[in-house]
């Protein structure tokens, strides 16, 4: 909890553009103690966590790193009508998470005014879908591999290469292009802060935040620096 809490606590104060001294006074602690909290040197009691959450207008779950949604919510479960009689709720929810997240990304790219960015994101997502379909297709040995021009033993590595290049082009396009075969242009992404997402993408933002939290948790075990902070 310490690393998530300290990082978030300091971030919220900077976002509010107040000094540590001011925040400490408002939160009824000494500046030295607040500094210890923000630097992960001490862990707070429950009463301070509640006060800090109220003070910054976020949920305790967000402050403690249990949710990337500031109100502490997660993606909504599908309604019975969405799930249908023959389909598991979890499968419908997973489809909603993936579809909503992709929509937010593509919409944000479109709002930037960069068609290059939209094209590169579309290429990347399409390549992921192609690669995953090939895996599932190949699992059924009765499916002829000749249906695809790229051989079974090469397509995944070639997809990886394509995706890595596209990742570079996405980052370039998001910054206005001018390299990697992309033309220079004015591109300005909308506010993608975690605070703005729920307002700008009601309903869908919760899905994206759920995905971000899930992936963050799953990759944390590989991050030695994160583990050392705990």
């Amino acid at each position: 909890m310490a690393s998530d809490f300290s990082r978030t606590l300091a971030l919220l104060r900077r976002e509010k553009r107040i000094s540590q001294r001011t925040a400490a006074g408002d939160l009824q602690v000494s500046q030295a103690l607040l500094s210890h909290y923000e630097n992960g040197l001490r862990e707070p009691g429950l009463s301070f966590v509640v006060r800090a959450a109220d003070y910054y207008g976020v949920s305790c779950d967000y402050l403690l790193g249990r949710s990337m949604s500031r109100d502490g919510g997660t993606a909504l479960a599908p309604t019975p009508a969405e799930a249908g009689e023959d389909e598991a709720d979890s499968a419908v929810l997973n489809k909603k998470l993936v579809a909503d997240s992709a929509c937010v990304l593509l919409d944000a790219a479109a709002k930037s005014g960069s068609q290059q960015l939209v094209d590169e994101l579309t290429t990347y997502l399409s390549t992921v879908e192609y690669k995953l379909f090939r895996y599932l297709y190949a699992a059924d040995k009765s499916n002829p591999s000749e249906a695809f021009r790229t051989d079974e033993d090469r397509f995944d590595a070639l997809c990886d290469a394509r995706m890595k290049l596209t990742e570079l082009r996405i980052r370039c396009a998001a910054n206005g292009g001018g390299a990697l075969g992309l033309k220079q242009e004015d591109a300005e992404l909308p506010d993608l802060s975690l605070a703005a997402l729920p307002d700008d993408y009601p309903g869908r933002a919760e899905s994206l935040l759920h995905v971000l939290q899930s992936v963050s948790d799953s990759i944390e075990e590989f991050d030695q620096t994160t583990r050392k902070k705990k």
Side-chain angles (χ1 to χ4, degrees):
M1 183 268 282
S3 63
D4 284 328
F5 176 80
S6 60
R7 175 179 53 80
T8 304
L9 186 66
L11 172 64
L12 289 169
R13 180 177 60 78
R14 289 196 295 269
E15 285 184 349
K16 202 169 182 177
R17 297 183 180 181
I18 57 175
S19 68
Q20 199 174 68
R21 180 178 181 180
T22 298
D26 292 341
L27 290 169
Q28 304 170 31
V29 296
S30 68
Q31 183 177 348
L33 182 56
L34 180 59
S35 177
H36 286 168
Y37 289 160
E38 290 189 357
N39 288 291
L41 300 178
R42 292 185 61 179
E43 290 196 3
L46 178 60
S47 61
F48 178 83
V49 173
V50 173
R51 285 203 308 276
D54 290 342
Y55 180 63
Y56 290 116
V58 299
S59 70
C60 291
D61 277 346
Y62 176 79
L63 197 53
L64 296 173
R66 291 168 53 87
S67 171
M68 294 192 76
S69 175
R70 295 197 174 201
D71 63 5
T74 56
L76 299 176
T79 64
E82 288 176 318
E85 296 182 357
D86 300 323
E87 192 165 16
D89 285 359
S90 60
V92 178
L93 178 56
N94 287 334
K95 288 192 290 185
K96 175 178 171 56
L97 294 175
V98 173
D100 284 354
S101 299
C103 285
V104 172
L105 293 173
L106 291 170
D107 186 70
K111 288 180 178 178
S112 74
S114 171
Q115 185 59 47
Q116 293 182 137
L117 182 55
V118 174
D119 291 343
E120 294 303 323
L121 280 175
T122 302
T123 295
Y124 190 85
L125 294 173
S126 299
T127 306
V128 171
E129 292 173 353
Y130 172 91
K131 184 177 180 180
L132 295 179
F133 179 82
R134 289 290 303 266
Y135 287 153
L136 300 182
Y137 180 89
D140 184 347
K141 301 306 180 183
S142 66
N143 287 329
S145 61
E146 293 79 12
F148 296 91
R149 291 195 299 271
T150 307
D151 289 346
E152 175 80 17
D153 60 350
R154 294 202 302 271
F155 81 86
D156 52 351
L158 291 172
C159 284
D160 288 344
R162 176 70 180 273
M163 288 162 63
K164 293 307 294 184
L165 175 59
T166 306
E167 288 170 12
L168 291 173
R169 288 169 63 89
I170 288 172
R171 297 177 70 173
C172 180
N175 286 287
L180 298 171
L182 300 173
K183 66 180 181 180
Q184 185 75 42
E185 61 182 357
D186 292 327
E188 185 174 353
L189 284 163
D191 185 357
L192 294 178
S193 67
L194 301 184
L197 282 173
D199 291 332
D200 294 341
Y201 303 96
R204 287 176 171 165
E206 287 77 8
S207 294
L208 176 59
L209 291 171
H210 183 98
V211 169
L212 295 176
Q213 183 68 51
S214 177
V215 174
S216 178
D217 291 343
S218 70
I219 64 176
E220 187 173 301
E221 62 181 288
F222 302 111
D223 188 345
Q224 296 297 322
T225 60
T226 299
R227 187 152 49 230
K228 288 177 182 177
K229 290 179 183 178
K230 294 187 174 181

